Amino acid sequence: MAMSTSRTNENGQSLVFDASHLQFESSIPSEFIWPDHEKPSLEPQELVIPPIDLRSFLSGDPLAIAKTTQLVNEACRKHGFFLVVNHGIDSKLITKAHEYMDFFFGMPLSEKQKAQRKLGEHCGYASSFTGRFSSKLPWKETFSFRYCTDAESSDIVDKYIVSKMGEDFRQFGELYQEYCEAMSKLSLETMELFGTSLGVDREYFREFFKDNDSIMRLNYYPPCQKPDLALGTGPHCDPTSLTILHQDQVGGLQVYVDEQWQFVRSNPEAFVVNIGDTFMALTNGIYKSCLHRAVVNSTKARKSLAFFLCPKMDKVVTPPTGLIDAENPRLYPDFKWLNLLEFTQKYYRADIHTLNAFSDWLPKQIN
């Protein structure tokens, strides 16, 4: 499980992912070429699922609650993916978040590298994973930062961004602080939906994540002249609990459903929501972690905003007793989110087997 940390290519040169140059190259470095069995589907079909109307669930109407919880239950037991509409998030805030993302990724590489992500950490700017892996590299750039709900961290996003990028980024930091607060609120409302749909107390999961210690990530997928060979993000399940994603109009997200990759059409009015490994463990495997990936294209950059809901670092992830019985015995050991985060940042590249690999690894660390 030890990961490769090679920082040079096959010619012994330092490998740098500079989108401003690589997006125009007719041939791409071999490190970005994926194996044949993982290369993008040429003509995937569209995944069509009914959107979840959050406003109707929160209205208190029994029929609306029954309908939305049934739809969520079916989706999460099967593939862990759905769309949320009527979510109450200000469209101007979303638009601004996309505009600021355009500005950041449009800067020269040297400027973005002021917030360079260090090996083993999960916050900061990353140009692909060139410093972490030596093959199957993703064709993307990311900028990630931590968000916490506790009173002492009321401006944690703003402080972090200004500390890395300078005082000129104060407005940038304040905007994403506000965006994270909106995403945390939406996440907790979604947790009420999960509590109801699983038949545990409506407030159970909301209380569990009330003091969340989450991650916000800006994703940028530049054009690639060989989109049939590369992937923006390889097939994986998120190790976090819940992902709330807003796509731009370009599209590129694919979900693995019914033994095939299916694409998710962009909808500016909706948020994409998917279950992660931590929440799958919290539901004792009843709700499935979503297997997904992102493809690239040769003409347009794609951008997305991803909020990863996570519990507090020292919170013990253990399912409620109501989800454990003879038909549903315990599948995963108790763990703290801090341990799974460390595992994915230092020892294991997230994929479809992360949770099982972590379950095998964890006892060895304790003993």
Side-chain angles (χ1 to χ4, degrees), residues 310-325:
C310 309
K312 289 186 71 173
M313 291 289 184
D314 60 352
K315 193 94 169 182
V316 177
V317 177
T318 186
T321 55
L323 301 183
I324 305 168
D325 55 32

Side-chain angles (χ1 to χ4, degrees), residues 80 122 191 194 208-209 213-217 236-244 274-282 287-290 292 306-311 313 317 335 337-338 340-342 344-345 350-351 354-355:
H122 66 281
M191 284 299 160
F194 288 158
F208 187 90
F209 289 101
D213 193 337
S214 299
I215 302 165
M216 180 71 211
R217 180 168 297 158
H236 71 287
C237 297
D238 295 332
T240 49
S241 298
L242 187 72
T243 304
I244 299 186
N274 70 262
I275 301 293
D277 289 338
T278 299
F279 195 70
M280 181 163 74
L282 193 57
Y287 278 5
K288 302 297 185 285
S289 191
C290 174
H292 58 287
F307 181 83
F308 301 100
L309 180 72
C310 309
M313 291 289 184
V317 177
F335 62 89
W337 163 238
L338 174 65
L340 180 54
L341 179 62
E342 178 190 19
T344 57
Q345 295 305 310
D351 59 16
T354 302
L355 193 53

Side-chain angles (χ1 to χ4, degrees), residues 101-230:
M101 184 164 47
D102 289 342
F103 170 76
F104 179 83
F105 288 115
M107 295 192 307
L109 180 62
S110 59
E111 288 296 305
K112 291 178 283 192
Q113 287 177 329
K114 288 179 180 178
Q116 187 69 42
R117 180 172 164 178
K118 296 177 181 177
L119 197 62
E121 295 184 355
H122 66 281
C123 291
Y125 167 76
S127 52
S128 187
F129 287 148
T130 55
R132 188 176 174 193
F133 302 113
S134 58
S135 64
K136 298 199 300 185
L137 296 181
W139 193 266
K140 70 174 180 179
E141 297 176 83
T142 60
F143 186 25
S144 309
F145 34 90
R146 183 182 173 198
Y147 168 77
C148 297
T149 55
D150 63 72
E152 295 178 358
S153 303
S154 60
D155 58 352
I156 186 173
V157 174
D158 182 23
K159 275 187 174 179
Y160 175 78
I161 289 174
V162 170
S163 73
K164 295 295 183 181
M165 301 302 298
E167 190 61 38
D168 288 346
F169 276 75
R170 175 71 63 187
Q171 193 173 355
F172 186 99
E174 291 173 348
L175 183 281
Y176 285 112
Q177 180 76 46
E178 183 182 356
Y179 187 86
C180 287
E181 289 165 0
M183 290 301 100
S184 179
K185 179 177 181 291
L186 178 56
S187 298
L188 296 181
E189 290 171 344
T190 305
M191 284 299 160
E192 290 185 44
L193 187 53
F194 288 158
T196 305
S197 65
L198 281 164
V200 299
D201 184 86
R202 174 170 172 154
E203 297 292 318
Y204 185 91
F205 296 120
R206 182 188 180 98
E207 284 296 311
F208 187 90
F209 289 101
K210 182 175 64 175
D211 300 321
N212 64 81
D213 193 337
S214 299
I215 302 165
M216 180 71 211
R217 180 168 297 158
L218 315 182
N219 295 308
Y220 177 75
Y221 304 91
C224 176
Q225 297 309 309
K226 297 292 183 181
D228 56 326
L229 302 179

Side-chain angles (χ1 to χ4, degrees), residues 17-24 105 109 112 125 141 220 222-223:
F17 184 76
D18 187 345
S20 64
H21 298 299
L22 280 176
Q23 64 179 309
F24 301 112
F105 288 115
L109 180 62
K112 291 178 283 192
Y125 167 76
E141 297 176 83
Y220 177 75

